[in-house]
Structure formats: C-alpha cells, structure tokens
Amino acid sequence: MLEILQSPSLAEKTTLRIGGRAIAEVVARSGKACEALPETLRRLGGVPHVMGAGSNILARDGELPIVLVRPAVRDMPEVVGEAAGKTLVHAGAGVRMPRLLGFCAEHGLSGLEGLCGIPGTVGGAVAMNAGSYGCETCAAVHSVEIFELKQGFMTLAAREIKYGYRHIAVPGNINEFIILGVTFGLTPAERGGIKKLMAFNFLKKKSTQPVAAHSAGCVFKNPEGGLSAGRLLDQAGLKGKRCGGMAFSHIHANFLVNEGGGSAAAAFDLIAQARESVSRRFGINLELEVRVAPWPSR
Ligand code: EPU
C-alpha cells in the first residue's frame, strides 16, 4: 500500500531546510506498493519528483506543482551471492548510505570507502552517482531494480546504466523512474584496512566540509580541467557571504548553508552573486550541482 501525505513541506524534507509545499508525498515501503503508483499519480496530478533523503535538493519557495515520490524500501544490506570475484550485496533504495558502509566495514567488503560521510540514501546515491575521494557510487553497482511508470518493474545491469560526474542516464524519463533496490559488487578485503580508510575519509570530510550544517552538499559542480568550484568561490571572496539566513560556509565556500530562517529566494540571490563574481574574475560559468526542485523533465 502506498502512503499519501497531503501538502508536505519541502523545508521539512530536505537537509537544506528550505522550500515550499508540494501537492502531496507518496511513500512506497515495498516494490509491490509501486503497482498502484501510476494510477495514484494520475489522480493526484502534478509532476512526480522522486526523492531519497533530500540531501542534494534546493527546493523553491511557494506552492510547487509536484508530487514527491519516496521509495522507502528499507531491505537491510545482505550478501546475496558472488560474481566475477566480487561479493554481491543487496540493499533497499531507502537504506541510508552510512548503514550500507557500516555493513561493508563489518563484512570486509571494499569499494565504497570514499563515500563515508555522505548522508543520502542508497537510491539517491545511485541516482546522482554520488562521489567523494576518488570513489563513485555507480562504479560499484552490479544491478539496479527499478519501477518505471510506463513499463513497470525492471532490473538494469550495470552496463545498461550510463553514468558520469554526479549524473546517470537510464532509458526513459528520469521523473518516471524509481530505484527500489541496488546490488553492489564489492571486493573482499581485510576489515581493519577498510575501517581505517573510512575513518580517515570521514575525518578529512569533517575537517574540510561543514558536515553538521543544514546544507545540500556542494552547490556547484567542479568545472572541467581539475578546477575546484570551492577554491574559485573562496578566491572570489564568497566564503562566509550571507544573505537572508543563507550563507556560503566559512569552512568550504562551495557549501551553501541555511543558518536559520533561510529561503530559496535568498539562496538564489547568493548563487547569482557567486556566478557573477566567478565569471567576472575567472571567466568561468559555474553550473549547479544541487538539483533544483521543481526540476525539468529529462
Ligand atoms: N578549497 C579552498 N577553499 C574552499 C574550498 C576548497 O581553497 O573554500 C580548496 C581545498 O583546499 C582543496 C581544493 O580546493 O585544495 C579542493 O577542495 P576539496 O578537497 O574540498 O574538494 P572539492 O573539489 O571542493 C569535491 C566534491 C565533493 C567531495 C570532495 C571530496 C564536487 C562539486 N565536490 O569537492 O562532493 O566530497 O571533492 O572528494 O564535486 C558534493 O558532491 O556535494 C560534494 C561535497
């Protein structure tokens, strides 16, 4: 059965804590519940927006013509087999990444250590190809179970998923594509080494990024050519810059944080100032990394 919540606040559903209200939120706690999704979405109207933990989303203010779809399938990580020397680990899309990483550390499975400290869900991390410290989520994916609004349930093998920097491409419209579960292919390795590397990456993140602040992670993509958006913003004087409750973090200039009482209007004001400063000073147009909701159909 699908759970339906009317008029949910995006400010309460996203880690940046800003945004207006959607028409409704539809929560699927099992894959089977998705069978009723096409009809439910038709009845509710609005554009479906699939959302995990809301940790990479900048939601606009006001009444938004969208319906949030949340795959809260929480099948805990488990070893389900082996293939080509890899151990296969399955997890539901609604499982938080820290839980999956904890499982990997306990079972001596290597491949995701760089993602330590990423707060999102398994489904969200795959959908955005979350990455950190040389590690990309999709590089460790073996297969993905999805529900596509027009075609129903499918299992995509890793080779059917094209992925790039914070981006995946799947057959069909991304707004109509819900990740239900993921099977990762991981390499057996010594537990101590895995734990050490995770702890090292987590401490590095904690000392260079505002991990405890209300943010959506890095707000701009790093430009091509090995440049860091954070460094460019810092050099352009944006670090610590404030507007209406929002600010560029004084720890890392590419993190937009809500210091309390922030709004999407203030966030977009700062984003425009940042783009303008970086463009004037370096001739580089920064592109948003966070997903702005409502987002266009792709
Ligand atoms: N730097 C500054 N000032 C700043 C921020 C950074 O001078 O305000 C310098 C740092 O000192 C460092 C360089 O810029 O020499 C790069 O910074 P960092 O190591 O923090 O990496 P990044 O390129 O800013 C990327 C990802 C992060 C990911 C880290 C670690 C993007 C947009 N950012 O940041 O991902 O955690 O590498 O791998 O790709 C995210 O996707 O939301 C995110 C935070």
Side-chain angles (χ1 to χ4, degrees):
M1 261 246 302
L2 293 170
E3 289 164 33
I4 301 174
L5 183 79
Q6 298 295 335
S7 200
S9 157
L10 270 292
E12 287 169 15
K13 302 277 170 191
T14 58
T15 53
L16 196 51
R17 300 277 198 275
I18 58 175
R21 289 185 181 276
I23 297 169
E25 179 184 20
V26 181
V27 183
R29 297 207 183 273
S30 68
K32 179 137 182 58
C34 290
E35 286 171 357
L37 204 49
E39 175 51 30
T40 304
L41 291 173
R42 248 193 307 280
R43 186 162 46 78
L44 291 168
V47 183
H49 276 47
V50 182
M51 205 171 89
S55 53
N56 196 47
I57 291 178
L58 194 177
R60 292 187 189 275
D61 302 319
E63 298 294 319
L64 307 176
I66 63 176
V67 172
L68 304 177
V69 178
R70 201 151 56 79
V73 183
R74 301 237 167 80
D75 300 341
M76 284 304 139
E78 61 170 332
V79 173
V80 291
E82 274 180 34
K86 302 272 185 188
T87 300
L88 302 182
V89 173
H90 179 268
V95 171
R96 298 284 178 139
M97 287 300 282
R99 165 85 64 153
L100 174 63
L101 266 76
F103 180 91
C104 294
E106 282 313 314
H107 290 77
L109 295 169
S110 172
L112 299 173
E113 293 89 324
L115 304 180
C116 198
I118 289 187
T121 59
V122 165
V126 171
M128 285 302 300
N129 189 22
S132 193
Y133 303 125
C135 182
E136 281 192 306
T137 309
C138 289
V141 164
H142 175 77
S143 62
V144 181
E145 296 134 50
I146 65 160
F147 181 79
E148 212 270 345
L149 288 179
K150 295 198 182 84
Q151 300 173 67
F153 296 101
M154 288 190 267
T155 299
L156 300 176
R159 66 176 184 287
E160 295 176 80
I161 303 166
K162 307 258 171 296
Y163 64 87
Y165 172 51
R166 303 294 190 272
H167 169 79
I168 68 167
V170 290
N173 179 339
I174 196 89
N175 283 342
E176 302 187 341
F177 167 94
I178 296 133
I179 295 176
L180 298 173
V182 180
T183 303
F184 293 91
L186 302 166
T187 308
E190 201 251 317
R191 271 194 295 186
I194 294 173
K195 286 186 180 170
K196 221 187 225 166
L197 187 52
M198 284 186 185
F200 177 78
N201 285 333
F202 184 65
L203 284 177
K204 190 153 58 162
K205 202 175 270 295
K206 229 172 108 179
S207 62
T208 57
Q209 300 181 1
V211 290
H214 294 313
S215 90
C218 284
V219 67
F220 294 108
K221 289 182 181 170
N222 281 343
E224 282 175 11
L227 292 170
S228 158
R231 182 181 285 151
L232 295 172
L233 290 159
D234 192 352
Q235 289 172 347
L238 273 304
K239 195 178 242 179
K241 190 164 185 65
R242 294 193 156 93
C243 170
M246 304 300 295
F248 284 109
S249 167
H250 57 87
I251 299 172
H252 191 302
N254 199 13
F255 278 68
L256 193 57
V257 298
N258 185 350
E259 296 186 316
S263 64
F268 284 116
D269 190 333
L270 279 178
I271 285 169
Q273 290 184 45
R275 276 186 160 146
E276 164 69 23
S277 301
V278 170
S279 162
R280 206 175 337 107
R281 174 130 186 220
F282 302 105
I284 292 170
N285 291 318
L286 290 179
E287 254 183 65
L288 284 179
E289 195 266 339
V290 289
R291 290 194 86 186
V292 175
W295 50 78
S297 297
R298 284 197 258 156

